[in-house]
Amino acid sequence: MSNTPTRKARAKADRQAREEQRQAQQRRQRLLLAAGGAVVLLLAVGVGVLSAGESADRQDIPTVEEVAGDPTIEGEGFPPAPEDPGDDPVVGEPAPVVQGADFDGTEVTIGEPGQPQVVAFMASWCPACDEELPQVVDWVEAGGLPEGVELVSVATNHDRSRPNWPPQDWYAEAGFDEPILVDDDASSVAGAFGLTATPFWVAIDADGQAVGRITGMIGADQMTALAEAAAG
Amino acid sequence: MIAIAQRSFGVLALVALVIATATFAALLTRRVPPWLPDAALPTATAIAAVATGGSLLLSEVAGYLPCTLCWYQRIAMYPLVLILGVAAARGDRQVWRVAVPLSAIGSAIAIWHIAIERNPALGGACDPAAPCSIIWVREFGFLTLPTMALIGFVAIAGLTLAARDR
């Protein structure tokens, strides 16, 4: 009887050796992949630490409490504005009367009978408002606002953690020179007029009654139409 | 801390962009390197895990409120961590059949979200709670959150297709 392994046993040993080799190769690949992943992660964090140092000093930025106004609201508030301005039940209803102030403390009034107004509710962080505000400035400069109609913006939905804070800088950068009423930190004025989203437009006639509310960006033509509706 | 995390995610998104581009180039030219199919699934799992961890960090720690479209992208991305992780552990090279459709849906939503970011008028008015047009993060001038998500989805789709190609 011979001690040499049979052909079958040799083949089995070869297969085992190949399998072990394959597994060793797989282990090496996984180790390499894990090491590569760790290096990429460390590099990413390293780049983050080295290059993201210019985070703003939040101490210098005014708080919501410092920016927010303290307006008083009289009269019944409006229900949320409908999607279709044509179905608005508040048309012809007396608008809430709001006494407030701008960022410098100058008094601003909304809804008082005797002064037709177009009121633009804006949130400085809202990209749609950010796009609309320069259009409003252009529209006013082009003479789009009819004689006797006042344009007032309400700075609302204050949020210090979002872009374009504080709102007074945002208005100033856009060159907006019309009166601005600063809402409180609970957005009470916006709530009283039924704001559901920004930008939000309300037209009020000389009798202090609402003549229309529109949610969203409207463009110069609709601004003119709203202002003419307010003028009667 | 959040600024460092944002920049780090930006760098990782750039790495994922390179991976996605190289993988699709290899697939389209039918020159998939022999090591790629083995490396593809663990890499895809890592991308899904980083995207998931990043989105949770930015919403739960940084306080960036996710909008509706963010949530739809999360719905597509989060399950991929488990699906790809299990596939990588088991060596399931057919996982592209699940991963590619999920990535395609996620990519389509991310593209629409990017369009709204670039043109806010498309998204209409801003929901005061969580508007989709708001840009919380913009790294290297172009990497916003949906852009990073799009890169992640495309990389995952490419890698799972490369894993199949053996």
Side-chain angles (χ1 to χ4, degrees):
Chain A
M1 211 169 110
S2 163
N3 278 340
T4 54
T6 61
R7 193 178 294 169
K8 219 172 186 176
R10 270 204 309 274
K12 190 180 173 189
D14 281 352
R15 272 203 307 278
Q16 267 180 348
R18 276 201 301 275
E19 180 61 20
E20 279 168 12
Q21 203 178 3
R22 195 184 66 80
Q23 283 179 352
Q25 195 185 354
Q26 255 184 356
R27 275 197 296 275
R28 272 199 305 275
Q29 272 182 352
R30 281 179 188 163
L31 203 66
L32 209 64
L33 200 62
V39 168
V40 167
L41 204 62
L42 280 175
L43 274 176
V45 173
V47 171
V49 170
L50 292 175
S51 66
E54 71 279 0
S55 61
D57 182 0
R58 305 298 290 179
Q59 303 293 326
D60 296 343
I61 301 171
T63 62
V64 168
E65 290 73 25
E66 287 167 342
V67 169
D70 186 22
T72 58
I73 305 166
E74 285 174 29
E76 207 175 320
F78 286 164
E83 274 185 36
D84 180 3
D87 291 337
D88 199 340
V90 306
V91 171
E93 297 292 323
V97 178
V98 183
Q99 306 272 0
D102 68 9
F103 294 108
D104 299 323
T106 308
E107 273 190 26
V108 180
T109 304
I110 296 173
E112 204 160 56
Q115 174 61 66
Q117 287 176 319
V118 174
V119 187
F121 289 78
M122 299 272 178
S124 59
W125 51 261
C126 164
C129 298
D130 199 34
E131 198 163 306
E132 181 111 298
L133 190 62
Q135 292 176 24
V136 177
V137 171
D138 290 346
W139 173 70
V140 173
E141 281 176 0
L145 192 62
E147 189 80 21
V149 178
E150 184 184 37
L151 170 67
V152 180
S153 183
V154 176
T156 190
N157 290 329
H158 308 304
D159 192 332
R160 187 173 181 252
S161 70
R162 296 184 178 183
N164 298 328
W165 181 263
Q168 54 266 47
D169 292 354
W170 177 71
Y171 278 107
E173 275 168 29
F176 186 81
D177 286 332
E178 306 304 311
I180 300 167
L181 188 145
V182 187
D183 207 346
D184 60 22
D185 57 1
S187 302
S188 304
V189 178
F193 279 87
L195 177 147
T196 57
T198 50
F200 176 58
W201 293 82
V202 181
I204 302 167
D205 66 14
D207 298 326
Q209 293 174 337
V211 290
R213 294 187 295 175
I214 302 177
T215 301
M217 293 176 64
I218 60 174
D221 288 347
Q222 265 188 298
M223 288 176 207
T224 303
L226 261 186
E228 284 172 352
Chain B
M1 163 69 185
I2 295 303
I4 292 171
Q6 283 178 197
R7 179 55 55 88
S8 303
F9 288 130
V11 173
L12 290 172
L14 287 180
V15 173
L17 180 60
V18 171
I19 291 173
T21 310
T23 305
F24 272 102
L27 286 168
L28 291 172
T29 56
R30 295 180 186 276
R31 286 184 188 163
V32 176
W35 52 266
L36 183 55
D38 286 331
L41 292 183
T43 308
T45 308
I47 290 171
V50 168
T52 298
S55 84
L56 287 172
L57 180 88
L58 292 177
S59 65
E60 303 308 312
V61 180
Y64 301 165
L65 221 55
C67 76
T68 309
L69 293 177
C70 293
W71 274 110
Y72 292 157
Q73 286 160 83
R74 286 173 160 207
I75 289 167
M77 183 63 82
Y78 287 10
L80 284 170
V81 181
L82 276 179
I83 292 168
L84 293 170
V86 170
R90 297 187 62 216
D92 176 8
R93 296 180 184 281
Q94 297 304 307
V95 71
W96 66 273
R97 292 179 193 279
V98 179
V100 169
L102 268 177
S103 298
I105 292 167
S107 297
I109 296 162
I111 288 168
W112 177 238
H113 197 169
I114 294 165
I116 288 174
E117 279 184 341
R118 286 175 184 267
N119 184 5
L122 282 176
C126 295
D127 169 8
C132 281
S133 51
I134 199 167
I135 296 176
W136 291 107
V137 175
R138 191 199 294 271
E139 291 297 333
F140 308 114
F142 75 104
L143 285 173
T144 63
L145 293 177
T147 313
M148 293 187 203
L150 176 63
I151 291 169
F153 283 125
V154 172
I156 287 168
L159 287 166
T160 54
L161 286 171
R164 171 200 66 163
D165 209 16
R166 195 178 206 188

